[in-house]
Amino acid sequence: MNKEEFVLEVEKLGIKVSKEILEKLDYFYQLLLEWNEKINLTTIVSEEDVYLKHFYDSLTLIKVIDFNQNITLCDVGSGAGFPGIVLKIFFPHIKIVLVDSLNKRVIYLNDVIRKLKLQNIEAVHWRMEDFSRKNEEVFDVITARAVASLSVLSEISVRSLKIGGKFVFMKANCDSELSTINRILSNLSLDIEEIKRFSLPVENSIRTLVCMKKKGHTIKKFPRSIDKIKRNPL
């Protein structure tokens, strides 16, 4: 996806793309390449692939979340900054916390935040299961992209979600996970609200957004960790 195609497809999502936004995305891409030589952030490095598989893909959250609202969002296992950094560039009014268990990635993320002069966004070095215990019911939206399984992510993150708030998990094909997750949802006070399946433009690879809503307080224990769980490539 070249930049012209990117702008066209993003506008089809109902999102305006300004010159300032394109400049920040280009700078973000350059920083991603620089840091990727120091630490392992992504195997997707060509400009066209990054604009499609990282930048555009991050914005597909608009299919289930209204980003015109003043929301507080947590990006779990943010890694290279997707979707969190991209969302902040396009929707500067929302407040975002990027949580990652690897300090090297957190240093990278905060460097990007500083150099892009982004406000009301920070990257923090935490395991999500610990972070959620210390930050109960503070986020309107929690999202995770290609990180661990739906069940693990739900268990370790649910405490941080406000009642009435939404989880949105960004996956490729996750039918097998969906077939087994229902048995844990009631313990976590979660309901599946919506499942969106679609294909990325240009290459037509499959994507799934699993949107869950929190209906009450959670008392579930959280024994699991995502520290050693491999990311699921998109």
Side-chain angles (χ1 to χ4, degrees), residues 94-148:
I94 65 177
K95 184 177 180 179
I96 299 179
V97 177
L98 313 175
V99 180
D100 203 281
S101 61
L102 185 64
N103 195 45
K104 289 181 180 180
R105 287 196 293 258
V106 172
I107 292 170
Y108 149 76
L109 290 166
N110 280 318
D111 184 61
V112 171
I113 290 167
R114 179 176 59 82
K115 289 179 177 175
L116 293 183
K117 298 179 180 180
L118 303 176
Q119 303 295 318
N120 289 319
I121 179 173
E122 64 174 332
V124 296
H125 180 215
W126 281 87
R127 296 185 307 168
M128 190 58 198
E129 60 269 34
D130 296 328
F131 181 81
S132 63
R133 291 190 190 100
K134 298 289 186 181
N135 297 272
E136 294 199 21
E137 297 182 5
V138 297
F139 295 103
D140 300 296
V141 178
I142 295 179
T143 189
R145 180 176 180 266
V147 181

Side-chain angles (χ1 to χ4, degrees), residues 66-72 93-95 140:
D66 181 4
F67 286 107
N68 291 315
Q69 302 179 60
N70 290 318
I71 61 175
T72 301
H93 62 282
I94 65 177
K95 184 177 180 179
D140 300 296

Side-chain angles (χ1 to χ4, degrees), residues 58 86 89 135-136 154 185 195 197 209 222 227:
S58 294
V86 178
I89 290 172
N135 297 272
E136 294 199 21
S154 299
L185 292 184
I195 299 172
R197 294 182 176 89
L209 300 176
F222 304 93
D227 282 357

